[in-house]
Amino acid sequence: MNTRIEHDTMGEIAVPADHHWGAQTQRSVENFKIGGQRQPKEIITAFAYLKEACALANRQVGKLTEAQAQAISDACREIREGRWDDEFPLVVWQTGSGTQTNMNVNEVIAHLAAERGVPLHPNDHVNASQSSNDTFPSALHIAAALSVANQVLPAAERLEAAFARLEEAYPDLIRIGRTHLQDATPLRFAQEVSGWRELIAAPCRMLRLALTELCKLAIGGTAVGTGLNAPKGYDGMVCARLREMTGLDFVPDENKFHALTSKDALVFAHGALKALAANLMKIANDIRWEASGPRCGMGELHIPENEPGSSIMPGKVNPTQCEAVTMAAVQVMGNDAAIGFAASQGNFQLNVFLPVSAYNFQLSARLLADVCDSFRVNCVEGITPNVEKMEYNLHNSLMLVTCLTPKIGYEAAAKCAKKALAEGTTLKEAVLALGLLTAEEFDETVRPEKMV
């Protein structure tokens, strides 16, 4: 491998000649051969937004020339376009402040600028008015906000709309309800689906609330929150540029001592992601139970048959999309525990569990965005009710007895249900045998359409 010699404050080190990173990145590559999980691409993209905004603010206050700021901006745009993805090799499991990733970005930008005739120092120019201690927390928030706004919410809203269409398609179909996994009183199929729809809509509202906190940035706090070496008003200038570039309402965190040490906004936002995951788990479980069969299960729903389900049982088809949803939900719940633990470790003036927090948040966001779309396209949009099975179960249910309670009382109604169950008869036969109602009275009272 061809190398070149780079240096930093610790001395010289050989760096691959065909890459644009520098000495600090190379030291991290050599010192942290752990796990193999690289910094999320979303974090690098967020840094590319942040570094461009910082460069423009530094030009505004006279700390960079027009040429220097433009060179940084050009490099950042190319990084966001994915042209230099191979230049960011660092793993998650590095310094907890993310300093090495900040320097990786600084070094790549400086080398790209130098190739184009604009000499830049990664610290003095690209990192001007900044510290890793305020840039990584800011990039963490930028990446989280962009993922929520541009990935998770649109995918979840598409899934919500699919449930709305299913709800509207069957306005009058009545089915038996179930509580405690036992028969309950009837409801409309559309009413059940409306519950699934709201199970997506509610965490979306929570995510929109969380965006307000995620859009508060640590930038301008520099090393410990005092803003040392950052010009007055610098944080506001950076956030104004970020608003222009992303369309999200980024603002400076008013208390930088809070911003550098606390990850409460990330915990809150990921809690909403976990709420979405929990609700998706519930929906997927409902659907796969109600589609169970085809002959020996509930069999009240038909779901798409997408692939063979068994390597030994011919003709078997499984609810694979539902299973993918539930596995993704389990992973998000695990990620939430990691983020919560990490956020609790904001010792003194800095939280040093930032890369692991970024990794878990971005994994959750990607999983949920992808699984919402996959579940919608490959399952939800193909769901149809088994009307015949629903109607059979509805009229065979003993819990229709509930509507008799006002006429014959709770205890007599319970006696009817138990008698029918024990003797294997219909509810009507039990009521008539006990002489509690006439056939006409029973038929007038036990009408599922009046119970919903």
Side-chain angles (χ1 to χ4, degrees):
M1 178 179 68
N2 293 328
T3 62
R4 68 177 188 276
I5 299 301
E6 291 277 335
H7 77 277
D8 59 12
T9 57
M10 297 188 72
E12 294 184 339
I13 188 170
V15 174
D18 57 346
H19 282 289
H20 291 80
W21 64 69
Q24 292 198 46
T25 302
Q26 188 62 32
R27 293 189 196 283
S28 186
V29 168
E30 296 179 7
N31 291 337
F32 296 96
K33 297 177 180 179
I34 303 172
Q37 293 85 10
R38 288 168 62 171
Q39 284 289 341
K41 178 175 171 57
E42 295 89 346
I43 289 294
I44 303 303
T45 297
F47 261 111
Y49 277 117
L50 181 63
K51 292 296 177 179
E52 180 175 3
C54 288
L56 297 175
N58 280 320
R59 181 190 64 189
Q60 188 174 340
V61 298
K63 295 188 78 169
L64 292 178
T65 66
E66 177 68 31
Q68 290 169 332
Q70 188 62 52
I72 293 172
S73 293
D74 291 343
C76 287
R77 291 192 182 99
E78 292 176 6
I79 290 169
R80 293 199 297 273
E81 291 167 0
R83 289 178 56 181
W84 304 105
D85 288 352
D86 290 342
E87 301 301 317
F88 303 99
L90 301 191
V91 295
V92 171
W93 320 106
Q94 52 160 285
T95 175
S97 63
T99 298
Q100 290 145 8
T101 289
N102 179 44
M103 286 308 303
N104 182 192
V105 176
N106 290 336
E107 289 174 346
V108 170
I109 292 171
H111 279 87
L112 289 173
E115 286 183 354
R116 295 154 190 184
V118 183
L120 294 177
H121 191 281
N123 295 86
D124 294 338
H125 300 118
V126 186
N127 203 61
S129 311
Q130 304 154 59
S131 162
S132 297
N133 295 357
D134 66 351
T135 57
F136 200 103
S138 296
L140 175 57
H141 274 214
I142 293 166
L146 287 171
S147 292
V148 167
N150 298 338
Q151 295 179 42
V152 180
L153 281 172
E157 287 163 357
R158 288 190 290 269
L159 179 57
E160 178 190 347
F163 281 123
R165 290 190 293 272
L166 182 61
E167 177 185 354
E168 293 164 2
Y170 301 95
D172 300 319
L173 179 59
I174 299 174
R175 59 168 308 155
I176 199 65
R178 294 175 179 85
T179 59
H180 302 270
L181 301 181
Q182 304 294 309
D183 300 351
T185 57
L187 74 161
R188 297 186 189 279
F189 177 58
Q191 291 172 321
E192 179 180 41
V193 177
S194 78
W196 297 340
R197 171 178 52 76
E198 184 62 19
L199 282 164
I200 304 301
C204 285
R205 292 193 296 271
M206 298 171 197
L207 284 168
R208 292 185 194 99
L209 287 174
L211 279 173
T212 301
E213 296 299 321
L214 285 178
C215 284
K216 296 178 181 178
L217 302 185
I219 195 68
T222 65
V224 296
T226 61
L228 179 67
N229 293 348
K232 184 177 181 180
Y234 179 75
D235 54 357
M237 298 177 207
V238 173
C239 288
R241 297 291 185 175
L242 286 169
R243 289 195 295 273
E244 292 174 6
M245 287 188 280
T246 66
L248 296 182
D249 193 21
F250 290 110
V251 296
D253 194 311
E254 293 182 0
N255 189 319
K256 300 298 192 296
F257 307 103
H258 161 266
L260 266 61
T261 195
S262 174
K263 294 280 92 48
D264 48 14
L266 203 71
V267 172
F268 182 64
H270 198 275
L273 293 179
K274 183 173 72 169
L276 177 58
N279 287 358
L280 283 167
M281 173 80 84
K282 180 265 192 294
I283 295 168
N285 280 335
D286 282 357
I287 290 172
R288 64 175 169 174
W289 273 110
E290 292 178 13
S292 61
R295 291 186 173 177
C296 300
M298 288 175 64
E300 295 187 355
L301 292 181
H302 298 299
I303 59 176
E305 297 183 351
N306 297 324
E307 59 272 319
S310 174
S311 60
I312 189 173
M313 293 176 280
K316 195 172 193 299
V317 179
N318 295 328
T320 52
Q321 286 296 316
C322 294
E323 291 166 5
V325 169
T326 56
M327 286 193 292
V330 165
Q331 183 64 59
V332 172
M333 292 174 192
N335 294 347
D336 191 73
I339 286 173
F341 283 125
S344 72
Q345 301 301 305
N347 304 122
F348 306 117
Q349 278 69 59
L350 186 67
N351 181 292
V352 290
F353 286 73
L354 300 179
V356 71
S357 299
Y359 174 75
N360 280 279
F361 192 98
Q362 291 304 323
L363 177 56
S364 291
R366 286 195 301 272
L367 279 173
L368 289 171
D370 288 349
V371 88
C372 280
D373 278 335
S374 181
F375 189 39
R376 172 180 58 84
V377 171
N378 297 302
C379 183
V380 174
E381 290 179 344
I383 289 174
T384 57
N386 184 339
V387 176
E388 182 178 338
K389 189 65 179 286
M390 282 189 181
E391 290 181 346
Y392 172 81
N393 287 340
L394 172 66
H395 294 291
N396 196 45
S397 171
L398 299 177
M399 286 304 100
L400 296 180
V401 75
T402 305
C403 65
L404 294 177
T405 303
K407 278 187 172 293
I408 64 175
Y410 182 92
E411 292 192 12
K415 187 176 180 180
C416 294
K418 291 178 181 293
K419 179 178 175 63
L421 180 61
E423 298 177 0
T425 64
T426 66
L427 184 60
K428 182 176 182 178
E429 288 170 333
V431 172
L432 296 180
L434 291 171
L436 295 171
L437 291 173
T438 66
E440 292 75 14
E441 288 172 327
F442 183 92
D443 291 340
E444 177 61 30
T445 305
V446 182
R447 295 174 61 181
E449 68 273 14
K450 290 186 175 182
M451 300 176 70
V452 297

